[in-house]
Amino acid sequence: MPPVAVPNEAPKKSLRIAIIGQSTFAAEVFKLLLKDGHQVVGVFTVLDKGNREDPLATIASQNGIPVFKYKSWRIKGKVIPEVLEEYKSVQADLNVLPFCTQFIPMEVILYPQYQSICYHPSILPRHRGASSVNWTLIEGDTTCGLSIFWADDGLDTGPILLQKSFPCTIDDTVDTIYNKYLYPEGIKALSESVNMVANGTAPKINQTEEGATYDPALFKAETHQIDWSKGGVALHNFIRGLDSSPGATTFIKPQTKDSENENIEIKFFGSALWEGEYEAEGDVIIIPGLDKPAVIHDGGLLITANDGVKLNIQRLKVNGKMINAQNFYKANENKVSLELTDEEKQFVENARNIWKAILRIDIDNDTDFFDSGAGSMDVVRLVEEIKDLVNVELQNEDIYMNTTFEEFYMIAILKARGDSSNQEIKYEGVEMEVNKMKIKFATQLFIDGQFVDSDSGKTLTLINPSDESVICKVQSASKNDVDKAVNAAKKAFEEGEWSKISARERGQILFKLADLMEQHKEELATIESIDSGAVYTLALKTHVGMSIETWRYFAGWCDKIQGSTIPINHARPNRNLTLTKKEPIGVCALITPWNYPLMMLSWKMAACLAAGNTVVMKPAAVCPLTALKFAELCVRAGVPRGVVNILPGSGTVCGQALADHPLVRKLGFTGSTEIGQTIMKSCAASNMKKVSLELGGKSPLVIFDDCDLEKAVRNGMASVFFNKGENCIAAGRLFVEESIHDEFVRRVVIETKKMSIGDPLNRGTAHGPQNHKAHMDKLIKFCERGVKEGAKLVYGGNRVDRPGYFFEPTIFTNVTDDMWIAKEESFGPIMIISKFNSKNMDEVIRRANDTEYGLASGVFTKDVSRALQFAEKIDAGTVFINTYNKTDVAAPFGGFKQSGFGKDLGQDALNEYLKTKTVTIEY
């Protein structure tokens, strides 16, 4: 019999309606009937469960409609007289049964003028019975649907009023069919049916017995036992048909990796036919009735049916507790303790009130939803109310897998942050009491949301540059570790939560990450200080402070990345529209230096993630600790697994593997020009991956005699000595006009002698240790060469006589253009001063440009015309006028020539991690 459907028309008259049933579904029907102008004269529903009444009863009471609650309408097959009289008292024209679990006597069904209509979730006459949706899936139907029929004493054999059909795919479940079709369309269909009755257009089409089925209810235990002798497709259909409740069941012996004992019950949920061409690897489970063992892998439990068809199971219920299938052998692992914002704390209390309204009991963190009497319709109500509260789309399975209140609000918060899996975090790390605080950080690689050891077993020994003591050993990534991380990032980009959430939700996650960094800024600055030698106060303000600003800036960009429309020549007369889309590139690799470990990570990664990419990042081998602490904060902020991967390791192994990897589509690098050239070659040879390089510098600072000399001295010192000279835009050479040269040098020496050198954690320290010994040794040789070439060493040039890698701030004068120290970057606290004559401005600009580097530059002068001419003619990516080192997260940063190409920071940085797609449409 073909489905019957009549276009919905407004009712020509109002009917007096009795609603008989229960659930949120019935409550929505109630609201729609009132909206259509009908009069609900009575609601007949079930008894309260403990202190909880049905949602239909609640909404009826709120609208002043009489509510009648019955345990039963009949005793020994006969209608209860008192119940019948109460029902008759409302004088309904029509009974509407939206979702009714009780047997309604024919005396009630036939009493109204228009009798009774009932909702059924199948295309009758197929799948008559209480478990019709389940049987639609179990039988592998390709079409599902709903029927509105005239109720009779069989309750689903009466004449058809209206039917609707919908496609049913091999991947559908009870929940997807219900949420896509049966719930929203069923509510509308009942409203349409009532209006048809009111308008006199409602048909009565007798059901045919052709194709009729009488499927048993799936309430008894024996009806949901899995028959493993069936083929893979039949097994998949059976499991998904029982996916919400009660679950497809089997018995196995409790298994560890080494032993087996007596039988236990396991229920299977979330089946999908396996399309992978490879064999999954992992631990095995022996299931009686299957020829091959099932395999636990990182995507679930892979079952091979006896006909060779494979299906993958996502969730298991073991001993009454729902778990992810891949965690079958993982017990009692510590879950991450989320640090909640004030807004999230308020959400917890609002959610607690929702639970209290549903369960009618006080709610503690360990209150179990189902142990407290909740049923399947309460799950639907909870999902809907949470969506109304915070616009978070929970699934029914989220409730079944997180049954206590604490588990529930944790998963809801993670969902709101963009991660649907309650990630677990566990790591081997170090706890220290330092800088009057406790700090803690991981010492393992961070791959796919987990801290793990390296395949190779190799480690990096980290030295505290302030006293040369060993901080700890950190795992060093192998080529195989790189491959794992890249594949995890690829999966997260293509299939994970990161690919599903909106740009605005992505921004919310990055804002939360910035907030967490703010909360941990003292700890991050302390770790940065002991690991890289950064002065604590500077680390707090710049290393960490600017990192936080960077994440907040790019979080704000997430939902503002957009393309444009273009009026191409073919737009008329053929009506063509051309538009561009800005899309993420995919898996990006980032390799960062050791001078600003956290800030360099943030400058690159924030733009990368804001654009929607995933990332594998290699921090500098000598100071990776803040990157590993950052990885921990990513988990706590709800960044989905696989989106961020952190791989401490050597450049020759880990860095090279990233440059060579064929699945990496973009590489961002900050470091030396020599290494940049090697990386660029590797990127071209591997897969022509996009590259951005921020490389060496020899930035000129030109100081004219009309400057504010005091300001020039102060800024000139900062341009060289800031962060111990380990600064990519440090002024590598100062050109000071002859007339003020000697006075400038005199003042600089006086001020340099005042600089306090010592423990970077001491709040009064201005100059800390160099990052590592090899670099300090390089600075000593740099100074020795300068003296040998004839430059005048005015101050410093030596290692400080104390433990640690302390090097004196150094000043050279009488430096000529041909000297090696005038051309090469020291990357340390070494001021190189040359004289110039302002009579020929073009000459000093020529000298300043006479280098293969072009990262930054500066000029001090009160002559605005001269300053702007300098800015126009200098060949550098950044120009400072009467200031220096004043970078900002909104201002693009990057160099020219052999200082590299591409930009960090500002809107321009986003373009480094986006690709532009052009789309032309003819209409």
Side-chain angles (χ1 to χ4, degrees):
M1 180 176 62
V4 178
V6 177
N8 190 23
E9 296 180 356
K12 297 176 181 176
K13 63 179 179 180
S14 171
L15 297 181
R16 295 172 58 85
I17 295 172
I19 298 181
I20 305 174
Q22 66 223 63
S23 78
T24 305
F25 183 98
E28 291 299 317
V29 171
F30 174 95
K31 290 190 286 187
L32 198 52
L33 293 179
L34 291 185
K35 184 179 178 181
D36 286 345
H38 299 292
Q39 182 182 1
V40 178
V41 293
V43 160
F44 298 84
T45 187
V46 294
L47 297 178
D48 294 352
K49 295 180 180 179
N51 294 322
R52 298 179 296 114
E53 68 178 2
D54 188 82
L56 176 60
T58 300
I59 194 168
S61 298
Q62 292 171 351
N63 283 271
I65 307 300
V67 177
F68 305 90
K69 301 175 183 179
Y70 302 140
K71 180 180 180 181
S72 175
W73 291 72
R74 304 187 309 171
I75 295 179
K76 296 181 180 180
K78 294 186 177 181
V79 65
I80 302 172
E82 296 83 358
V83 171
L84 181 60
E85 290 307 312
E86 263 191 334
Y87 162 74
K88 289 180 176 180
S89 68
V90 303
Q91 293 298 304
D93 296 327
L94 175 71
N95 293 330
V96 175
L97 283 64
F99 180 84
C100 185
T101 59
Q102 295 176 315
F103 190 95
I104 309 302
M106 288 306 295
E107 291 90 337
V108 174
I109 294 293
L110 300 176
Y111 181 79
Q113 176 185 353
Y114 298 110
Q115 300 183 358
S116 303
I117 61 172
C118 186
Y119 165 86
H120 191 77
S122 79
I123 307 175
L124 292 172
R126 185 161 174 79
H127 301 310
R128 292 171 177 166
S131 301
S132 57
V133 184
N134 309 82
W135 284 103
T136 296
L137 297 173
I138 292 171
E139 293 294 328
D141 291 359
T142 57
T143 302
C144 64
L146 59 91
S147 301
I148 311 298
F149 67 95
W150 299 91
D152 63 356
D153 57 358
L155 282 186
D156 51 6
T157 57
I160 301 298
L161 190 160
L162 180 149
Q163 290 187 318
K164 293 188 177 184
S165 62
F166 313 99
C168 182
T169 72
I170 194 68
D171 296 319
D172 271 318
T173 65
V174 173
D175 283 347
T176 62
I177 291 176
Y178 184 74
N179 291 326
K180 283 192 297 186
Y181 308 126
L182 303 185
Y183 182 85
E185 294 298 327
I187 293 166
K188 290 189 286 185
L190 270 170
S191 170
E192 292 176 29
S193 298
V194 171
N195 291 344
M196 289 164 68
V197 173
N199 294 337
T201 58
K204 289 188 176 183
I205 303 172
N206 289 331
Q207 291 191 43
T208 175
E209 289 303 305
E210 183 180 347
T213 57
Y214 298 88
D215 302 310
L218 296 169
F219 302 144
K220 296 180 180 180
E222 60 269 20
T223 62
H224 42 87
Q225 300 296 312
I226 300 174
D227 179 0
W228 293 110
S229 67
K230 292 186 175 180
V233 173
L235 290 174
H236 165 67
N237 289 339
F238 188 73
I239 293 171
R240 69 188 179 117
L242 298 169
D243 203 64
S244 291
S245 179
T249 307
T250 197
F251 289 88
I252 68 168
K253 293 181 179 180
Q255 299 167 30
T256 67
K257 297 173 186 178
D258 307 308
S259 64
E260 303 178 7
N261 284 309
E262 59 189 50
N263 288 344
I264 59 170
E265 182 183 71
I266 294 186
K267 294 179 180 290
F268 295 77
F269 301 87
S271 174
L273 291 176
W274 180 258
E275 296 179 354
E277 296 180 357
Y278 60 93
E279 289 289 338
E281 296 181 356
D283 298 313
V284 301
I285 296 179
I286 306 299
I287 299 177
L290 285 179
D291 296 340
K292 293 183 66 174
V295 179
I296 297 169
H297 62 111
D298 60 3
L301 176 68
L302 185 63
I303 291 172
T304 302
N306 293 342
D307 64 354
V309 174
K310 294 181 173 64
L311 50 149
N312 194 55
I313 306 300
Q314 293 181 332
R315 300 176 302 283
L316 303 173
K317 183 177 278 189
V318 183
N319 295 327
K321 177 67 176 175
M322 192 80 81
I323 62 170
N324 287 320
Q326 61 264 36
N327 294 331
F328 182 76
Y329 285 127
K330 297 177 182 179
N332 301 319
E333 291 190 355
N334 294 329
K335 288 188 176 181
V336 59
S337 175
L338 291 183
E339 299 191 30
L340 306 184
T341 63
D342 290 340
E343 182 181 349
E344 288 168 343
K345 290 175 182 176
Q346 184 58 54
F347 163 75
V348 171
E349 294 312 307
N350 291 339
R352 194 186 305 273
N353 290 334
I354 291 174
W355 274 51
K356 187 174 182 179
I358 293 173
L359 299 176
R360 299 297 180 92
I361 59 174
D362 291 332
I363 307 299
D364 299 319
N365 280 0
D366 59 356
T367 299
D368 189 283
F369 195 63
F370 298 103
D371 288 350
S372 301
S376 59
M377 293 312 301
D378 296 311
V379 172
V380 175
R381 177 180 173 185
L382 179 57
V383 168
E384 291 300 314
E385 293 202 30
I386 291 297
K387 183 170 69 175
D388 290 342
L389 177 64
V390 288
N391 197 30
V392 172
E393 292 278 357
L394 293 175
Q395 302 298 319
N396 292 2
E397 66 190 53
D398 293 323
I399 316 301
Y400 290 119
M401 292 188 66
N402 300 277
T403 59
T404 69
F405 179 67
E406 184 175 25
E407 290 172 336
F408 167 79
Y409 76 67
M410 293 278 274
I411 192 65
I413 289 171
L414 282 169
K415 276 264 193 175
R417 293 180 179 186
D419 185 7
S420 65
S421 61
N422 195 349
Q423 295 191 42
E424 299 168 343
I425 181 168
K426 186 179 181 182
Y427 61 76
E428 294 177 7
V430 171
E431 294 187 48
M432 300 174 67
E433 186 85 33
V434 62
N435 198 22
K436 299 179 182 179
M437 69 180 75
K438 289 183 179 180
I439 62 173
K440 181 180 179 182
F441 48 83
T443 57
Q444 297 170 285
L445 314 179
F446 185 70
I447 300 175
D448 200 19
Q450 301 285 332
F451 286 99
V452 296
D453 289 339
S454 169
D455 269 3
S456 67
K458 293 183 178 180
T459 59
L460 305 168
T461 300
L462 304 185
I463 305 297
N464 185 332
S466 65
D467 60 10
E468 301 175 62
S469 64
V470 174
I471 302 172
C472 62
K473 290 183 181 294
V474 169
Q475 295 289 312
S476 181
S478 67
K479 184 178 179 180
N480 192 42
D481 294 320
V482 170
D483 191 57
K484 289 179 183 177
V486 170
N487 278 286
K490 183 174 186 290
K491 184 176 180 181
F493 179 76
E494 294 177 350
E495 304 172 24
E497 291 292 329
W498 203 239
S499 66
K500 300 170 186 174
I501 63 175
S502 69
R504 193 158 299 168
E505 289 170 319
R506 188 163 67 242
Q508 290 169 352
I509 293 173
L510 300 190
F511 275 122
K512 287 185 175 73
L513 178 57
D515 291 343
L516 271 175
M517 293 172 71
E518 180 84 43
Q519 293 169 29
H520 289 263
K521 63 183 179 182
E522 289 86 1
E523 184 181 15
L524 287 166
T526 301
I527 296 172
E528 192 99 321
S529 187
I530 66 170
D531 199 26
S532 74
V535 171
Y536 174 73
T537 51
L538 177 64
L540 200 60
K541 178 179 183 294
T542 302
H543 290 233
V544 179
M546 193 173 187
S547 296
I548 296 168
E549 289 178 10
T550 303
W551 284 101
R552 287 185 174 141
Y553 173 80
F554 283 108
W557 265 111
C558 287
D559 61 353
K560 300 170 187 67
I561 298 170
Q562 56 194 23
S564 58
T565 57
I566 303 169
I568 63 172
N569 282 341
H570 296 294
R572 293 291 183 272
N574 295 330
R575 295 187 179 273
N576 286 325
L577 171 66
T578 294
L579 55 90
T580 61
K581 296 177 64 182
K582 298 285 188 178
E583 297 181 347
I585 293 172
V587 179
C588 298
L590 304 177
I591 302 175
T592 56
W594 42 259
N595 58 329
Y596 293 100
L598 184 63
M599 195 171 79
M600 291 294 97
L601 175 155
S602 300
W603 278 24
K604 295 186 184 301
M605 195 184 295
C608 178
L609 296 187
N613 301 284
T614 56
V615 66
V616 181
M617 182 260 181
K618 190 198 91 65
V622 292
C623 48
L625 294 183
T626 43
L628 292 173
K629 186 66 183 180
F630 171 83
E632 178 187 339
L633 297 181
C634 283
V635 179
R636 298 186 184 282
V639 176
R641 58 183 294 182
V643 173
V644 173
N645 302 271
I646 307 291
L647 301 182
S650 69
T652 54
V653 176
C654 181
Q656 188 64 51
L658 286 171
D660 292 338
H661 205 290
L663 297 181
V664 173
R665 294 299 173 186
K666 161 69 199 282
L667 191 146
F669 172 77
T670 294
S672 71
T673 296
E674 293 76 19
I675 300 300
Q677 290 170 331
T678 300
I679 283 176
M680 194 169 175
K681 291 175 184 176
S682 297
C683 290
S686 58
N687 62 345
M688 290 294 291
K689 59 176 61 71
K690 187 177 180 180
V691 189
S692 56
L693 303 171
E694 197 250 283
L695 307 174
K698 191 68 174 175
S699 300
L701 174 58
V702 178
I703 301 173
F704 287 93
D705 62 2
D706 66 340
C707 69
D708 179 334
L709 188 58
E710 181 180 349
K711 185 177 182 182
V713 168
R714 186 171 64 251
N715 279 266
M717 290 179 63
S719 74
V720 177
F721 301 142
F722 187 82
N723 198 47
K724 312 161 292 175
E726 296 170 352
N727 190 22
C728 54
I729 59 170
R733 190 176 180 191
L734 274 64
F735 294 88
V736 181
E737 191 165 357
E738 291 174 337
S739 58
I740 61 169
H741 174 272
D742 293 347
E743 178 62 15
F744 178 86
V745 172
R746 185 185 72 81
R747 292 194 187 189
V748 165
V749 171
I750 291 173
E751 295 304 316
T752 302
K753 289 179 179 179
K754 295 178 183 178
M755 291 175 63
S756 57
I757 303 173
D759 182 358
L761 295 176
N762 189 312
R763 303 312 190 259
T765 297
H767 188 79
Q770 304 307 135
N771 186 276
H772 52 282
K773 185 176 185 301
H775 181 55
M776 184 189 66
D777 293 342
K778 175 188 169 186
L779 296 179
I780 293 172
K781 291 180 180 179
F782 187 94
C783 292
E784 289 173 350
R785 184 159 181 174
V787 171
K788 186 176 180 180
E789 287 185 321
K792 183 178 180 180
L793 179 61
V794 176
Y795 184 79
N798 301 298
R799 180 175 182 175
V800 178
D801 186 18
R802 59 172 292 166
Y805 307 135
F806 292 91
F807 186 79
E808 294 174 326
T810 299
I811 303 169
F812 276 102
T813 61
N814 296 347
V815 178
T816 58
D817 294 354
D818 60 322
M819 292 180 181
W820 186 80
I821 64 171
K823 300 176 181 178
E824 297 301 320
E825 181 180 28
S826 71
F827 211 64
I830 301 175
M831 183 178 287
I832 308 295
I833 302 176
S834 300
K835 295 180 182 178
F836 79 95
N837 189 313
S838 67
K839 292 180 181 179
N840 188 347
M841 182 176 170
D842 288 341
E843 176 63 16
V844 72
I845 291 177
R846 182 197 64 77
R847 293 173 66 191
N849 280 334
D850 189 21
T851 171
E852 274 300 301
Y853 298 114
L855 190 55
S857 61
V859 61
F860 276 80
T861 178
K862 293 178 181 177
D863 187 332
V864 175
S865 176
R866 182 156 56 187
L868 293 178
Q869 286 184 61
F870 176 88
E872 179 183 335
K873 295 179 179 181
I874 200 72
D875 199 7
T878 297
V879 182
F880 298 109
I881 298 176
N882 294 325
T883 187
Y884 207 88
N885 278 333
K886 196 163 284 183
T887 55
D888 187 87
V889 296
F893 181 93
F896 302 157
K897 299 186 286 190
Q898 289 196 40
S899 286
F901 50 84
K903 297 294 183 182
D904 291 323
L905 304 182
Q907 184 178 357
D908 285 21
L910 292 168
N911 293 328
E912 303 298 329
Y913 300 97
L914 292 166
K915 57 189 179 185
T916 301
K917 179 181 289 182
T918 301
V919 180
T920 298
I921 309 163
E922 185 164 304
Y923 60 97

